[in-house]
Amino acid sequence: VGPYVLVTPNATRRKQLQQSKLSFAKKELDDLEQWKKEHRPGPITLVPQRLGGNESEAQVRQNQQMFLMQSKYQKKHKREEYVKARKAAEEAEILKKKAIQREKAERLEVKKRQEEMQKREMLLEDQNYKTNELLNRLDVGLPKSDSCQIANPGPESTAW
C-alpha cells in the first residue's frame, strides 16, 4: 500500500555465517568420535570353562528332540484345558442366568397366587355381603313369627 525498501543480502556475511555453521558442526562430529574412542569397551576376558553339564552332545540333542515332541502334546493339552475352562465358565454363567430367571418366575407365581387369593377373598366378601343383603330384604318382607297369621291370604300376596 505504501512505499517499501528492499534490502539486498550481504553475500560475504552470508558466506561467513555458513562457513562458521559448517565448522561448528564438523567440530561437534569430531568431538563425538573422540568421545566414542575414549569410551570404547575393552576386550572381555573370561576363564575358559566347560559348558553344557555332564551330558554329551548326542544326549542333549536327543533331549531336545524329546522336548520338541512333547511340546506339541503340551500345547494341545493346554489348549484343551483352556477350552474346558471356558466351557465351564460359560456353563456357570448359563446356570446363574437360569437361577435368576427361575427366581423371577417363582416370585411372579407367588405374586399371582397372592392376587388370586385377594380376588377370591374380595369375591367371598362381596358374595357374603350380597347374600346378607338379600336375606335382610327377605326378612323385612316376611311377617313376624309372633304376629297372627292370616288364614286366607289374598291373590295379591301370592308369588304366582
Side-chain angles (χ1 to χ4, degrees), residues 29 48 73 113 118 129:
L29 281 174
Y73 296 115
R113 275 192 241 133
Q118 285 178 349
Y129 177 75

Side-chain angles (χ1 to χ4, degrees), residues 3-149:
Y4 62 93
V5 177
L6 180 65
V7 178
T8 57
N10 189 347
T12 56
R13 174 102 169 122
R14 185 168 184 263
K15 194 176 201 182
Q16 220 176 19
L17 280 174
Q18 281 182 340
Q19 284 178 354
S20 67
K21 284 182 185 178
L22 285 175
S23 66
F24 185 73
K26 192 173 187 180
K27 182 181 174 260
E28 284 204 351
L29 281 174
D30 292 339
D31 288 346
L32 178 66
E33 289 296 322
Q34 184 67 28
W35 184 87
K36 282 183 181 179
K37 284 180 186 175
E38 289 174 3
H39 291 87
R40 182 177 291 148
I44 298 173
T45 55
L46 290 176
V47 178
Q49 58 183 354
R50 182 181 170 106
L51 298 175
N54 299 329
E55 298 178 359
S56 67
E57 184 180 346
Q59 199 172 9
V60 170
R61 290 194 187 278
Q62 186 179 6
N63 287 345
Q64 285 177 341
Q65 187 67 23
M66 287 294 288
F67 181 75
L68 181 66
M69 288 170 53
Q70 288 175 354
S71 70
K72 291 178 187 177
Y73 296 115
Q74 287 174 350
K75 284 181 186 176
K76 186 176 180 181
H77 182 67
K78 199 174 188 181
R79 191 177 307 123
E80 287 174 357
E81 284 181 5
Y82 173 73
V83 168
K84 283 181 186 177
R86 195 175 73 204
K87 282 184 181 179
E90 287 175 0
E91 188 68 29
E93 187 71 24
I94 290 171
L95 289 175
K96 186 178 175 183
K97 287 180 181 179
K98 282 184 179 179
I100 290 170
Q101 291 300 325
R102 191 176 301 117
E103 246 180 67
K104 285 181 182 177
E106 287 173 358
R107 274 191 251 130
L108 185 64
E109 188 68 29
V110 167
K111 188 176 177 182
K112 282 183 180 179
R113 275 192 241 133
Q114 286 176 349
E115 287 177 357
E116 185 69 30
M117 289 296 288
Q118 285 178 349
K119 284 181 184 177
R120 283 183 187 171
E121 286 175 8
M122 289 186 68
L123 183 66
L124 268 172
E125 259 182 50
D126 192 43
Q127 190 177 8
N128 286 340
Y129 177 75
K130 292 286 184 181
T131 305
N132 286 337
E133 192 178 287
L134 179 66
L135 288 175
N136 286 341
R137 268 193 285 152
L138 289 176
D139 272 349
V140 169
L142 289 177
K144 300 277 186 195
S145 59
D146 48 343
S147 66
C148 103
Q149 297 271 337

